[in-house]
Amino acid sequence: MKDWHRIFEQNMLVPLHPQRARQPLKESTAFQCVLKWLDGPLIKQGVLDVLLDAGCHLRVSLFDVSYRHFFGRTWRSTVRPAEQLSQQPPRVIFNESLYFHTSLNHPNIVAVVEVVIEGRKRDGTLQTLSCGFGILRIFSNNPESPTSASQDKRLRLYHGTPRALLHPLLQDPIEQNKHMTLMENCSLQYTLKPHPLLEPAFHLLPENLLVSGLQQIPGLLEAHGENGDALRKPRLQKSVTWHLDDVFFTLYPSLERFEQELLELLISDHFREGDGLPDGSALDILERRLCVGVHNGLGFVQRPQVVVLVPEMAVALTRSASFNRKVGSSSKASPGNQALVLRSHLRLPEMVCHPAFAVVFQLEYAFSSPSGVGSNAALATSPSSVACMHTVRWAVWNPSLEASSGRVTLPLQGGTRPNPSRCLVYRVPPAGMSSEEVKQVESGTVQFQYSLSSEGHLDTPTGGVSSPKALRPSGKPSTSPSSPPASSRQGRAVLQDSPVGPGLSLSQLAASPRSPARCHSRRPSQQPLGSEPAPAQAGFPVEGRLSHLEVDLSHMPLVPGTCVVEQLQELPFTPMHAPIIAGTQTRSSGRKPSRASMVLLQSSGFPEILDANKQPAEAVNPADGVKFDPQKEESDRLQSNEIVLQFLAFSRVPQDGREAPWPHTVYFTFQFYRFPPTVTPRLQLVELDAAGKAGLGALSRLLVPIDKDGSCDGGSAGFQLKYLVDPGFLKPGEQRWFARYLAAQTLQIDVWDGDSLLLIGSAAVPMKHLLRQGRPAVQVSYELEVVATEYEQDTMVLSGDVTPFGSVKPIGVYTVVKGRLHLTLANVGHMCEQRGGNSSSLPPSRSRVISNDGDSRFEGGSLLTRGGPRSAKNVVQAQKLADVDSELAAMLFTHTHLGSKGPPGAGREVDAVRRRKLERMRSVRLQEARGELGCRRTSVVAQQSICAQHSRGLQVIAAYRERTKAENIARVLSLAITKEHTVYATLGTAEFFEFELRNPHNTQHTVTIEMDNPELSIVVDSQEWRYFKEAANLHTPVEEDMFHLQGGLAPRLFLRPRETAHIPFKYQTFSAGQGSAELRCEKGADAGSPGKPTTVPTKHAKVLFRGSGGKPMAVLCLTVEPQPHVVDQVFRFYHPELTFLKKAIRLPPWHTLPGVPVGTPGSEPPVHVRCSDPNVICETHSVGPGEPRDVFLKVASGPSPEIKDFFITIYTDRWLATPLQIWQVHLHSLQRVDVACVTGQWTRLSLVLRGTQAVRKVRAFTSHPQELMTDPKGVFVLPPHGVQDLHVGVRPLRAGSRFLHLNLVDVDFHQLVASWLVCLSCRLPLISKAFEIKLAAGEGQGANKRITYTNPYPTRRTFHLHSDHPDLLQFKEDSFQVEGGETYTIGLRFAPCQRAGVKEILIYINDHEDKNEETFCVKVTYQ
């Protein structure tokens, strides 16, 4: 509290002249003034001899020339030694910056700079001398534009002191006045320019306040660097939100007595001023108001909120349920004592965790008075009466930096003490004017509950500050800050219970007693109602114009027809989405199967896993720990790993005590390592015969493959997949990556219903037990929980329960165990086959350097050959030109058939050679026939025609060769400088390599590097270059400022004669070439190899190095072989079609991420994210140390039932070299259906089905068949291009908002025809009766009870019974009939419960239409 009072008292501002304050103001403009140095002999001889330790400083004040009025606050510079003024040349260097902003855009608003010498006399007293002053013009003669010149200027100085400006003889222009005397050769060097960077901090700095850049402004962060100028580029501290509830004021001795004496004193004051009232009762209290605002010691940060207070007795009479404070909790023994209470909730989002930030409370009273009373009567437009305002009490609360919630009591203040509103405040009357009762009491208190919202982030400034001590109410224990206030939730929901608004008209609200002081320095104190407010007045309204929180008048125009234009200011904001914790929703718990389960699994005929020697693989206990030794994995002679997955059995888990329906078929989807995504075939669930005999109900369904005809495979049970990870197919050095992948990652398996195509759940299995560690083969069996993640409607709440994985599960995200999957994993080692191609491959460190010397692609021979295997003697067999060039063949064919009737150019480019040969054969045969039957003259003519044709062909060939000779020679010669290189790229990983570029000429060249692929780039940053070289273990040199970059032009490089330079390249792609195409694997089939992807096409890139003359110096041809990538986490979202999905995925704690290097505690690097889809907005924000990180997504969903797949790569290194994790996101677009219903009651709706182009046999499936039902239930025919209704009924069992899924599936081809997302909003019915029963928990017999129900109708009715807990309560009869007015006894059967506790069971009594008639609640206590 001391910090706020100190800053407040040090920064008191002198207000504007009243006439200036009444003028309309314009938009505020920020300025920066740099005072550089002072020149000239300012000090007379002998002054320095009189003063000891003399120093020189500057003072700057704002002055209004028109009204000869100083305003604002005088700014002082630091003191400099004055001895410098007696030296030659006399100069004192300051170089200090001051900042301010003002809306007084007028040429008569100036800044006065005074030069002051201070020192101590011989007797030790302080002496200050004014050595001159100058007038600094802020605005030019054009009032619309301030001074914008930023060059240095000289300010002329005058003799005397600035107080001379107050003399009436000094009229404008002051500089030309005869009484002003210039100081010769004395000036001040300065710079004045607008400073728009200060605009975001306007709310922290009052207008017309001169501050230094070195001064600490509450709400601004400290500046970076050595200069410490925090206002040059101000950075705002992050704000937090405080909530105030249960606010009430206590005035002593009582509210009635306090207000009575207040009215008497006001009437007496009016009589004393000569404005007597005709009747004392004419002055009445209209409203009691509370102004609450955040104050940083300099001014209000935002416009104070104005709310209405009401007497406590009025609240008690209204019997409001929202205000539950006891009347006697704050009252004394006097029966007439009562408080002023606030029934609404206050939210202060602009608070900052700083000792100078405080909350200011101001209690105001609005009085009615006849026209002509008070100084503000001229503001009224109504001739009858006006409303005058008086502030009676105020208080300041400085929150503790450590507290987050609690209750506080503050004393009220009054009197002439300076206050934030800068107006006179009513105080307790003197002893002669008060009664004996008033003399003995204090001035009053204000009490409230406070709580800190989780919306903001605390940004505590440096330096320890003692926490303020607030006055606590005596006789009450203080609330612990860790526990939230009891009534805070109720207080936040009572806005609708507040008063409708004041009974004052707009003309009555215009009067204000605060003139000429203003609530905020940027706003005028008064303004006539008839005039439109200036744009600068939009932020804070004029005094007396009140906006009430209860009726939300703060956004309404004050006068009908008047629009207040408000300039919105962007605040630091983080999207508040309910985050999904990465890695926790799908992380199911796995355990070792029981011995009884293993007996059944072994007897079911699953194939046995054998090693290379045909011996059973070693079984590993999944509960045992794994010691990962990378050296042991690398030294293993069995370098080929055969990963085997066996899907054995699947079982369901009862949901809410009810047995879940069994699916007939299931299938699984997952992705192992870099293999393409795998989708297994549909597997039949076959019930075990001996499952229930030995208490093995959990294991009751085996997985059996299905034949093409739909019948079960008669072979062995289970489904097996094999993945062969051979080092011959992996990149060099990738064997170590694969071992780390097995040690750190978990395999996520999605389980789907094969008939309904609905997701049952996901299971996650750790793969660390697949590390053989020198053993020939290992196998491990798991019983995995299949967990389904359910999302409720998006909520703004970010709190929740702490999960076992060290993170927080948000509200609105639930995990439900749907079943258990029995799975066996195995790793069988094999000897690695030696391949001839591997011997010629270079080591990884050498293969990253590409040289353009040595190997050449030029193999000699014809210019038209495209190259091939080079012969030993460089001899090429001659070929016809038309046979090796299709373009020449087409030209020859065109000249041969000028008169042909076929379509011109049809197929000539493709079949020209073949057609020419056929035509030649036909002409030969025709010539032979004519030679036998024709005459000699005919053969001569034919021979001449053939010769002419050949002659024309030779001419065409000669012309064609001449035209293409230069092109072909250049192409063949370019092969000599072309180098080919192959890059194996994965998603998000930067592939780094260097190209040795050598200048073969004897002259220097400036080489321009041109690339045709945007995914290939040059590493121009030397730090990034060093990072990649260290990661690749390269020892080639690194050069600083190697490339010349200019705009969007290609980078250029300077090479000396015969010089060689290493050009660093980086190839990185963020486009997902790996699709989600289904890969149907047959039983026991090999899933493929990561070294031979079949779904990703090969890419090409070309780099051309051009010399100074534009001629190519070297060519690099890159062949990019995309490789499948690892997927660490899979997210699957269901969202309405053609809308935006906005989600926040919270990263797990930094130390739990796999692959994180070991570092010091708390050393968390920044996180960067990239997305494979450019149409997806993916970003993350940097937060403070120890704060959780969220990845925000914004995705546009497509039409139903489209599925959008994309990948998110997460990096923790600065250069985005290697992704730490890769997430795959599936967005299912569904048709949305909103249903508002009541629990236990049947709600019906219809969906429109539209047929496709063919006849389909379809069936509707639901995710919650016990709550969502369809008609027709079974298979029905959907006609082509037809329209049909699907009737849907909903009977929810629990209240709340949640999602249900409805799929329409083609039963013949198992294709998804349509899909809906049913959004339920369920509420509980009105409970008419309540019962209570106590039962014994455990293996009991249950209990039978009876309740009665009376038919309220006069006729016979049929009623149906339902319960929200059918597992705990069954009815003797599900429906009954009863005559009108008769009573029926309902028999209840309560099932035993295994655990002790309390359950509330609802009994729904519905009519014949299944509409709820009554609801009974039975509270069952299991002991």
Side-chain angles (χ1 to χ4, degrees):
M1 188 70 71
K2 296 181 180 179
D3 294 86
W4 183 87
H5 282 288
R6 176 180 54 82
I7 297 177
F8 175 70
E9 293 173 358
Q10 292 177 356
N11 294 275
M12 294 292 295
L13 299 180
V14 177
L16 290 172
H17 192 273
Q19 297 296 331
R20 178 70 68 182
R22 293 190 183 99
Q23 297 179 5
L25 305 181
K26 298 183 179 181
E27 186 176 356
S28 187
T29 306
F31 292 94
Q32 179 193 35
C33 182
V34 182
L35 304 178
K36 296 188 175 182
W37 60 78
L38 188 65
D39 289 331
L42 296 171
I43 304 178
K44 296 181 181 180
Q45 297 294 333
V47 175
L48 296 180
D49 298 335
V50 178
L51 299 178
L52 301 178
D53 299 331
C56 177
H57 69 271
L58 302 177
R59 298 182 182 182
V60 183
S61 304
L62 295 178
F63 183 70
D64 191 342
V65 179
S66 300
Y67 303 103
R68 294 194 296 274
H69 180 76
F70 285 97
F71 61 94
R73 187 176 65 90
T74 301
W75 173 85
R76 290 186 52 173
S77 69
T78 57
V79 180
R80 306 291 182 181
E83 289 80 1
Q84 301 176 7
L85 292 175
S86 60
Q87 300 174 1
Q88 293 297 330
R91 173 173 291 187
V92 179
I93 300 177
F94 290 95
N95 283 332
E96 293 193 31
S97 301
L98 64 93
Y99 302 85
F100 66 97
H101 69 95
T102 180
S103 58
L104 303 174
N105 191 345
H106 194 277
N108 283 347
I109 301 298
V110 299
V112 179
V113 183
E114 182 183 10
V115 182
V116 179
I117 300 295
E118 65 177 13
R120 296 189 178 275
K121 296 182 180 180
R122 300 296 180 181
D123 57 357
T125 59
L126 183 64
Q127 178 72 31
T128 59
L129 299 175
S130 179
C131 298
F133 68 96
I135 300 176
L136 194 155
R137 294 284 180 175
I138 303 174
F139 300 96
S140 62
N141 292 327
N142 183 9
E144 298 297 331
S145 61
T147 303
S148 60
S150 60
Q151 62 270 16
D152 289 357
K153 293 185 178 181
R154 288 187 177 273
L155 180 66
R156 297 182 300 175
L157 300 181
Y158 300 91
H159 287 283
T161 68
R163 288 184 292 274
L165 298 175
L166 301 177
H167 199 279
L169 295 179
L170 293 179
Q171 300 293 334
D172 192 51
I174 300 178
E175 293 88 349
Q176 301 177 7
N177 194 285
K178 62 180 180 179
H179 299 284
M180 300 286 290
T181 305
L182 277 174
M183 301 179 66
E184 297 181 359
N185 300 325
C186 295
S187 63
L188 175 66
Q189 194 82 6
Y190 75 97
T191 299
L192 178 66
K193 61 180 179 180
H195 190 60
L197 295 178
L198 193 62
E199 293 181 1
F202 274 4
H203 63 288
L204 301 176
L205 293 174
E207 192 177 340
N208 305 323
L209 175 64
L210 305 177
V211 293
S212 172
L214 304 178
Q215 180 180 348
Q216 291 189 358
I217 305 300
L220 292 183
L221 296 176
E222 295 182 357
H224 293 301
E226 299 178 355
N227 56 0
D229 192 346
L231 296 179
R232 188 172 63 88
K233 291 183 179 180
R235 299 181 301 121
L236 302 178
Q237 286 185 265
K238 294 185 178 179
S239 61
V240 296
T241 301
W242 285 89
H243 299 275
L244 305 183
D245 300 277
D246 198 6
V247 181
F248 63 93
F249 285 76
T250 304
L251 298 174
Y252 297 97
S254 67
L255 179 63
E256 180 181 2
R257 183 61 178 164
F258 177 84
E259 294 179 349
Q260 180 181 355
E261 292 200 1
L262 178 61
L263 287 174
E264 293 177 357
L265 291 173
L266 286 175
I267 295 174
S268 176
D269 183 66
H270 288 162
F271 274 107
R272 187 163 45 250
E273 295 293 333
D275 299 328
L277 297 176
D279 188 2
S281 60
L283 190 64
D284 296 328
I285 297 176
L286 295 182
E287 281 186 350
R288 307 159 183 89
R289 297 164 180 167
L290 173 64
C291 298
V292 183
V294 177
H295 201 284
N296 69 338
L298 303 177
F300 283 101
V301 178
Q302 296 291 341
R303 180 185 58 189
Q305 303 180 34
V306 182
V307 292
V308 178
L309 300 175
V310 293
E312 190 175 23
M313 191 59 64
V315 178
L317 293 177
T318 57
R319 305 180 63 87
S320 173
S322 62
F323 188 81
N324 55 5
R325 187 178 60 86
K326 295 182 179 180
V327 176
S329 62
S330 63
S331 303
K332 292 189 175 182
S334 175
N337 185 25
Q338 57 177 317
L340 294 176
V341 299
L342 175 65
R343 294 192 295 175
S344 60
H345 162 73
L346 290 177
R347 179 176 177 269
L348 302 174
E350 62 269 15
M351 280 293 294
V352 172
C353 187
H354 192 280
F357 268 72
V359 180
V360 177
F361 302 87
Q362 299 179 82
L363 179 60
E364 298 177 346
Y365 272 68
F367 302 93
S368 64
S369 61
S371 178
V373 177
S375 60
N376 299 292
L379 297 179
T381 57
S382 174
S384 60
S385 64
V386 295
C388 57
M389 293 288 302
H390 290 285
T391 302
V392 297
R393 292 290 184 267
W394 66 282
V396 177
W397 174 56
N398 198 192
S400 174
L401 299 180
E402 295 81 10
S404 60
S405 62
R407 189 173 187 87
V408 68
T409 301
L410 300 175
L412 297 178
Q413 304 180 35
T416 58
R417 183 179 180 181
N419 56 83
S421 61
R422 296 181 175 89
C423 63
L424 294 178
V425 180
Y426 172 75
R427 59 172 302 174
V428 176
M433 300 180 60
S434 302
S435 64
E436 294 296 330
E437 189 177 10
V438 177
K439 299 177 186 176
Q440 304 172 358
V441 296
E442 49 191 358
S443 59
T445 58
V446 55
Q447 300 184 32
F448 55 89
Q449 290 183 349
Y450 65 92
S451 60
L452 177 63
S453 174
S454 60
E455 300 175 3
H457 165 65
L458 296 180
D459 193 356
T460 306
T462 58
V465 180
S466 60
S467 60
K469 297 181 180 179
L471 179 63
R472 296 278 180 181
S474 59
K476 276 189 178 183
S478 60
T479 307
S480 173
S482 60
S483 61
S487 62
S488 62
R489 291 172 295 177
Q490 299 174 359
R492 298 178 188 179
V494 298
L495 293 178
Q496 67 274 13
D497 297 329
S498 300
V500 178
L504 303 180
S505 63
L506 291 175
S507 60
Q508 291 173 323
L509 293 180
S512 174
R514 300 182 183 178
S515 178
R518 297 188 299 167
C519 186
H520 192 272
S521 59
R522 284 191 293 171
R523 304 293 176 249
S525 60
Q526 306 168 9
Q527 182 171 339
L529 275 175
S531 62
E532 294 186 2
Q537 297 174 268
F540 287 6
V542 296
E543 300 296 334
R545 293 185 175 179
L546 303 182
S547 58
H548 296 270
L549 181 64
E550 289 82 358
V551 294
D552 196 18
L553 290 179
S554 60
H555 302 289
M556 298 175 61
L558 303 178
V559 179
T562 303
C563 179
V564 179
V565 181
E566 181 175 357
Q567 181 67 29
L568 298 181
Q569 179 182 357
E570 183 179 0
L571 298 176
F573 174 72
T574 302
M576 308 299 288
H577 306 297
I580 301 158
I581 311 301
T584 58
Q585 273 66 45
T586 58
R587 190 177 297 180
S588 60
S589 60
R591 63 183 181 182
K592 180 182 179 180
S594 62
R595 297 183 185 274
S597 301
M598 293 301 297
V599 170
L600 287 178
L601 292 177
Q602 293 295 331
S603 62
S604 300
F606 293 109
E608 188 177 8
I609 300 176
L610 305 177
D611 59 8
N613 298 325
K614 304 302 179 181
Q615 297 295 325
E618 178 182 349
V620 180
N621 188 358
D624 296 341
V626 175
K627 295 182 180 180
F628 174 48
D629 187 0
Q631 295 182 356
K632 185 177 291 186
E633 288 289 335
E634 293 178 4
S635 61
D636 191 359
R637 61 184 183 89
L638 303 177
Q639 286 292 312
S640 182
N641 297 279
E642 183 184 12
I643 307 299
V644 182
L645 281 77
Q646 283 188 349
F647 297 89
L648 307 179
F650 178 72
S651 60
R652 291 303 301 263
V653 174
Q655 306 295 323
D656 298 331
R658 301 180 297 272
E659 186 65 29
W662 276 94
H664 298 286
T665 60
V666 295
Y667 68 94
F668 306 94
T669 59
F670 59 92
Q671 182 178 8
F672 175 74
Y673 195 50
R674 296 192 294 105
F675 291 86
T678 302
V679 181
T680 67
R682 295 169 58 243
L683 304 176
Q684 185 80 30
L685 293 178
V686 179
E687 186 176 1
L688 285 172
D689 296 335
K693 295 182 179 179
L696 304 176
L699 180 63
S700 54
R701 297 292 191 275
L702 290 180
L703 297 174
V704 179
I706 302 176
D707 293 335
K708 296 182 179 181
D709 56 355
S711 60
C712 295
D713 192 353
S716 60
F719 179 76
Q720 178 173 296
L721 281 175
K722 295 180 181 180
Y723 294 91
L724 183 60
V725 183
D726 196 328
F729 295 105
L730 301 179
K731 294 185 293 184
E734 193 180 358
Q735 184 70 23
R736 182 180 303 176
W737 299 350
F738 179 71
R740 292 179 180 176
Y741 167 79
L742 295 180
Q745 295 293 338
T746 58
L747 179 64
Q748 179 174 333
I749 303 174
D750 293 335
V751 185
W752 300 80
D753 190 324
D755 296 330
S756 66
L757 304 183
L758 290 169
L759 179 66
I760 299 177
S762 301
V765 52
M767 294 182 291
K768 57 185 178 180
H769 292 92
L770 292 179
L771 295 170
R772 292 186 289 107
Q773 295 290 287
R775 293 169 290 188
V778 292
Q779 64 175 340
V780 57
S781 298
Y782 284 98
E783 183 178 337
L784 304 174
E785 290 184 350
V786 178
V787 178
T789 303
E790 297 182 359
Y791 305 98
E792 287 192 349
Q793 300 274 358
D794 286 345
T795 176
M796 301 295 290
V797 184
L798 300 185
S799 60
D801 301 329
V802 178
T803 63
F805 303 100
S807 56
V808 179
K809 186 179 74 174
I811 293 177
V813 180
Y814 299 92
T815 55
V816 182
V817 179
K818 294 289 187 178
R820 291 183 173 86
L821 174 64
H822 293 263
L823 179 70
T824 298
L825 303 178
N827 184 0
V828 180
H830 297 279
M831 294 295 295
C832 182
E833 297 181 2
Q834 296 294 335
R835 300 180 182 269
N838 292 338
S839 59
S840 61
S841 61
L842 295 175
S845 61
R846 290 292 300 163
S847 61
R848 294 184 183 272
V849 179
I850 309 169
S851 176
N852 65 340
D853 292 338
D855 297 337
S856 173
R857 291 187 57 196
F858 179 67
E859 293 145 4
S862 173
L863 295 178
L864 298 178
T865 56
R866 300 295 179 185
R870 188 173 180 177
S871 61
K873 296 182 180 181
N874 197 15
V875 177
V876 179
Q877 184 179 1
Q879 300 181 19
K880 294 182 179 181
L881 295 178
D883 295 339
V884 298
D885 193 288
S886 59
E887 184 180 1
L888 178 59
M891 295 178 64
L892 294 176
F893 183 78
T894 303
H895 285 279
T896 306
H897 288 77
L898 290 176
S900 61
K901 297 181 181 181
R908 294 173 183 175
E909 188 78 21
V910 181
D911 300 332
V913 177
R914 180 173 179 273
R915 293 181 179 223
R916 183 176 55 83
K917 291 181 178 181
L918 293 176
E919 185 65 22
R920 186 169 50 188
M921 184 181 296
R922 188 179 65 85
S923 63
V924 170
R925 292 181 178 177
L926 182 59
Q927 183 178 0
E928 293 177 352
R930 288 180 178 179
E932 295 178 357
L933 302 176
C935 59
R936 181 181 181 90
R937 180 180 179 182
T938 305
S939 63
V940 172
V941 173
Q943 187 175 2
Q944 292 178 353
S945 176
I946 293 174
C947 291
Q949 180 180 349
H950 288 173
S951 178
R952 287 193 301 267
L954 291 176
Q955 293 176 2
V956 171
I957 293 175
Y960 179 78
R961 289 188 59 184
E962 194 65 27
R963 184 173 63 87
T964 60
K965 182 185 297 183
E967 179 184 352
N968 291 332
I969 292 176
R971 179 179 54 80
V972 173
L973 290 180
S974 66
L975 298 179
I977 59 174
T978 301
K979 184 66 179 180
E980 291 185 345
H981 182 67
T982 302
V983 175
Y984 298 93
T986 57
L987 177 68
T989 302
E991 295 294 334
F992 172 76
F993 60 91
E994 292 181 353
F995 181 75
E996 289 185 354
L997 178 62
R998 181 176 179 270
N999 182 10
H1001 307 287
N1002 294 325
T1003 58
Q1004 60 187 14
H1005 279 272
T1006 299
V1007 182
T1008 304
I1009 306 174
E1010 301 175 358
M1011 294 169 289
D1012 62 351
N1013 194 322
E1015 296 176 343
L1016 179 65
S1017 61
I1018 299 178
V1019 181
V1020 296
D1021 195 309
S1022 59
Q1023 296 182 3
E1024 184 180 3
W1025 192 359
R1026 289 190 182 93
Y1027 177 86
F1028 281 108
K1029 289 174 72 68
E1030 292 177 1
N1033 195 18
L1034 292 181
H1035 303 287
T1036 53
V1038 177
E1039 299 184 27
E1040 300 286 345
D1041 298 331
M1042 186 174 182
F1043 303 97
H1044 175 70
L1045 304 175
Q1046 183 178 1
L1049 301 179
R1052 293 186 294 176
L1053 169 70
F1054 178 78
L1055 284 181
R1056 298 178 181 88
R1058 302 291 179 177
E1059 184 184 13
T1060 300
H1062 289 78
I1063 312 299
F1065 286 94
K1066 177 182 67 174
Y1067 183 87
Q1068 190 172 23
T1069 177
F1070 294 103
S1071 61
Q1074 174 178 333
S1076 59
E1078 296 186 359
L1079 178 64
R1080 298 290 183 179
C1081 301
E1082 298 298 332
K1083 177 182 176 181
D1086 192 347
S1089 171
K1092 294 183 178 180
T1094 58
T1095 60
V1096 184
T1098 301
K1099 300 180 181 180
H1100 298 277
K1102 185 178 181 180
V1103 184
L1104 184 60
F1105 301 89
R1106 293 186 182 273
S1108 300
K1111 296 182 179 180
M1113 185 178 295
V1115 180
L1116 175 62
C1117 294
L1118 285 180
T1119 301
V1120 182
E1121 296 288 349
Q1123 301 292 312
H1125 52 269
V1126 178
V1127 176
D1128 302 281
Q1129 183 77 18
V1130 179
F1131 295 95
R1132 196 175 298 273
F1133 300 109
Y1134 295 89
H1135 199 66
E1137 61 177 350
L1138 304 177
T1139 57
F1140 282 98
L1141 170 71
K1142 299 177 182 179
K1143 287 293 181 182
I1145 303 177
R1146 176 154 295 175
L1147 291 173
W1150 166 251
H1151 61 276
T1152 62
L1153 291 176
V1156 174
V1158 178
T1160 58
S1163 59
E1164 300 180 0
V1167 177
H1168 308 276
V1169 293
R1170 292 293 184 271
C1171 185
S1172 62
D1173 190 348
N1175 297 321
V1176 175
I1177 298 177
C1178 180
E1179 59 183 4
T1180 182
H1181 301 287
S1182 59
V1183 293
E1187 293 294 326
R1189 291 183 173 92
D1190 293 338
V1191 177
F1192 298 97
L1193 293 179
K1194 182 180 178 181
V1195 192
S1197 60
S1200 175
E1202 180 183 285
I1203 301 177
K1204 180 177 291 187
D1205 299 336
F1206 57 92
F1207 296 90
I1208 299 174
T1209 53
I1210 301 176
Y1211 301 88
T1212 55
D1213 60 284
R1214 175 185 176 186
W1215 309 111
L1216 310 184
T1218 305
L1220 184 67
Q1221 286 208 336
I1222 298 179
W1223 297 345
Q1224 185 174 12
V1225 181
H1226 304 279
L1227 177 58
H1228 298 254
S1229 301
L1230 311 178
Q1231 303 179 52
R1232 175 166 182 160
V1233 179
D1234 293 296
V1235 180
C1237 51
V1238 181
T1239 57
Q1241 178 174 298
W1242 191 261
T1243 303
R1244 298 174 177 85
L1245 65 148
S1246 297
L1247 302 178
V1248 178
L1249 302 180
R1250 300 185 183 277
T1252 59
Q1253 297 181 358
V1255 179
R1256 291 181 180 268
K1257 295 174 62 178
V1258 297
R1259 182 181 177 183
F1261 296 91
T1262 65
S1263 60
H1264 296 70
Q1266 296 181 348
E1267 300 180 83
L1268 185 65
M1269 304 176 187
T1270 60
D1271 183 24
K1273 296 182 179 180
V1275 180
F1276 60 94
V1277 177
L1278 184 62
H1281 305 288
V1283 178
Q1284 187 173 347
D1285 287 340
L1286 178 64
H1287 301 283
V1288 180
V1290 181
R1291 183 188 286 118
L1293 298 180
R1294 59 184 177 91
S1297 299
R1298 52 201 179 100
F1299 298 120
L1300 306 182
H1301 299 277
L1302 174 61
N1303 280 2
L1304 188 69
V1305 182
D1306 189 327
V1307 297
D1308 293 333
F1309 299 97
H1310 301 285
Q1311 294 178 347
L1312 187 62
V1313 178
S1315 185
W1316 290 270
L1317 184 66
V1318 183
C1319 304
L1320 295 184
S1321 179
C1322 310
R1323 62 175 179 88
L1324 290 173
L1326 182 64
I1327 298 176
S1328 56
K1329 292 183 180 180
F1331 305 90
E1332 189 173 4
I1333 184 176
K1334 295 183 179 180
L1335 299 176
E1339 298 291 341
Q1341 298 295 326
N1344 294 320
K1345 299 293 179 180
R1346 293 179 298 176
I1347 59 175
T1348 59
Y1349 176 73
T1350 302
N1351 182 9
Y1353 300 98
T1355 59
R1356 180 184 180 89
R1357 292 295 179 95
T1358 301
F1359 299 95
H1360 301 271
L1361 298 176
H1362 301 281
S1363 172
D1364 64 337
H1365 286 77
D1367 56 316
L1368 299 178
L1369 176 62
Q1370 292 87 31
F1371 302 100
K1372 182 179 180 181
E1373 297 177 355
D1374 292 336
S1375 61
F1376 62 91
Q1377 292 183 351
V1378 60
E1379 298 292 338
E1382 298 294 331
T1383 300
Y1384 181 82
T1385 302
I1386 302 174
L1388 307 178
R1389 170 65 181 174
F1390 291 91
C1393 184
Q1394 301 299 326
R1395 294 180 297 179
V1398 179
K1399 290 283 188 180
E1400 289 188 355
I1401 304 176
L1402 298 181
I1403 300 175
Y1404 305 108
I1405 303 177
N1406 299 346
D1407 59 4
H1408 64 284
E1409 295 181 353
D1410 216 350
K1411 297 296 181 63
N1412 183 253
E1413 290 279 353
E1414 287 194 54
T1415 302
F1416 297 162
C1417 178
V1418 181
K1419 183 178 180 181
V1420 184
T1421 303
Y1422 294 94
Q1423 300 177 344

